[in-house]
Structures are given as C-alpha cells and as structure tokens.
Amino acid sequence: MRLSKGELNGHTFLAKLITQYALIHRKTIGPAAENYIEQLGLRTGEWIERFYEDPLHWTVDQYVHVIVDLKNSIGGHFEIVSVNPDHVVVRAKECPFGEFVMDAPHLCKLTSSVFGGIAARKFGYGKVSQRKRIALGEPVCEVAIYFEPDDREEGDIYENVPTTPEHGDPFAWEEETITMLNYELKKSDEMVISLLKELEDLKREKS
C-alpha cells in the first residue's frame, strides 16, 4: 500500500533542508549570507575537482564537461550550449535543489563560485554571468563562464583563488572565517534585541 502523497527521498529531503537553512541564515545575517555561500562554493569546487582526472593543463573542453558532469551528478540537468576559446555557456532545465531553490535564490551563488573557482584555479581567471535563473522563476538557468576579462556582460569575478596544499582539506576553515561568522551572527542578535526593545517602548507609550 502506497501512503505517500508525493515523492519523498533523501535528495528531496536534503534539498528542502538546505534551502530552508539558507533562507533562515539570510534572514538572520542579511546580504552577508552570500559571502558564506561563496566561500563554501569555492571550497566545494576544489573538493569536487579531486573526483576528476587532473591533467597538468586543463583545456576549455575538459573544463566544460567537468562542470556539466558535476552538476548532473548531484541532481541537476545541465547541458552544454556553446564552447569558445574565451568562454563557455551551459544551460540547466532543472536545479539540483529542485523547485525549493526559489525559497533561497542566493544559493545561486554556490553555482557561481563553484564554476568560477574552478575556472580561476585552472585558467587564472573566471567571470560567471548567470543570465537566467530558475530560482527567480525562469524556466531554465543559463550561465556563461569567461576565462579572461570581458566587458560584454556583468558577472561575478574570481581570480587569485587559493589552492589547498596537496593532501590538504579544503574544508579546514581558518579561525578568522569562523570569527567573522560569529561577528555577523552577533550583529544580527543585537539588531533583533534592539527591535524588540523599540517595540516594548512603543507599547509603553501607547498604554
């Protein structure tokens, strides 16, 4: 007997959990949440690179096949649109987070920093332009990644991205990063306390 009203599986559960956590995080600390997503994406991209062959010099063709494969491996539906010496364009019919990504559109920064970080480490430079985004209600995602400075469109720029020493852990967070996170959380707590105090003051004035 089938009791479920929909498809519930590990991927669906984690996608919902992650997007809701990201939503709460952004509501708590504001725009700074994107900075943390970016750092997570840079480190995740480096970790993912280790699942692929690592030739001494990557070609553009190798790069685009890796970024499409990694996205499809985690539940996306990406395809190559075009490959040029200075940039590539990929498109997605489905996001790894599914429809839940619309709850936390800033998670798109994860795609930007993964793609841009890999490009910066392999070619010295990466600019990621997210032309279309499912997270904003569009039917597809379309992303262009440039390997050298270009003024044709705006994008997130990645260069001088540090590489973890061989056999090191990309997720070994530095103390200053944790300190910055604690500082942002403390600021948000102080803001909430201040707002609550203002509300109490208003109540007293009306009574």
Side-chain angles (χ1 to χ4, degrees):
M1 177 170 56
R2 183 174 177 81
L3 300 178
S4 175
K5 294 181 179 179
E7 185 179 358
L8 176 63
N9 53 47
H11 181 79
T12 302
F13 174 75
L14 287 175
K16 186 66 172 179
L17 193 66
I18 291 170
T19 53
Q20 289 306 300
Y21 178 82
L23 172 63
I24 292 171
H25 184 230
R26 196 179 197 287
K27 283 182 176 294
T28 302
I29 71 170
E34 289 193 20
N35 295 332
Y36 298 111
I37 295 293
E38 181 178 77
Q39 285 301 312
L40 184 60
L42 290 172
R43 293 164 189 257
T44 301
E46 185 179 1
W47 174 71
I48 288 174
E49 287 173 29
R50 299 178 182 185
F51 287 84
Y52 297 89
E53 293 182 6
D54 191 16
L56 185 60
H57 299 291
W58 278 42
T59 66
V60 170
D61 193 60
Q62 287 169 326
Y63 168 82
V64 73
H65 278 87
V66 164
I67 65 170
V68 166
D69 183 72
L70 73 86
K71 279 292 188 179
N72 292 341
S73 296
I74 61 173
H77 189 170
F78 276 68
E79 60 186 12
I80 299 170
V81 176
S82 64
V83 179
N84 305 278
D86 65 331
H87 77 284
V88 298
V89 180
V90 297
R91 184 180 297 138
K93 298 176 183 176
E94 187 174 348
C95 174
F97 295 111
E99 62 183 19
F100 304 130
V101 74
M102 288 188 280
D103 292 336
H106 65 293
L107 278 174
C108 293
K109 196 73 170 182
L110 195 59
T111 293
S112 174
S113 53
V114 168
F115 287 2
I118 295 176
R121 281 188 293 271
K122 300 307 179 185
F123 305 117
Y125 178 92
K127 181 170 80 170
V128 181
S129 173
Q130 294 180 300
R131 297 171 173 175
K132 299 178 182 179
R133 296 164 60 190
I134 292 172
L136 298 182
E138 296 177 286
V140 298
C141 288
E142 185 171 288
V143 185
I145 306 99
Y146 292 84
F147 309 120
E148 54 188 56
D150 191 291
D151 295 329
R152 278 176 285 182
E153 54 186 315
E154 297 294 321
D156 299 325
I157 295 175
Y158 301 89
E159 51 188 338
N160 301 317
V161 174
T163 301
T164 305
E166 190 175 0
H167 306 305
D169 180 6
F171 294 113
W173 298 94
E174 295 85 358
E175 188 62 34
E176 58 264 29
T177 303
I178 304 300
T179 300
M180 181 175 67
L181 174 59
N182 288 335
Y183 175 70
E184 293 294 342
L185 291 175
K186 182 180 178 183
K187 279 202 307 183
S188 66
D189 288 343
E190 290 173 348
M191 179 184 68
V192 170
I193 291 171
S194 175
L195 288 172
L196 289 173
K197 184 177 182 302
E198 288 179 16
L199 287 172
E200 289 298 324
D201 291 342
L202 286 172
K203 286 180 182 177
R204 281 195 293 271
E205 289 175 5
K206 290 181 179 180
S207 59

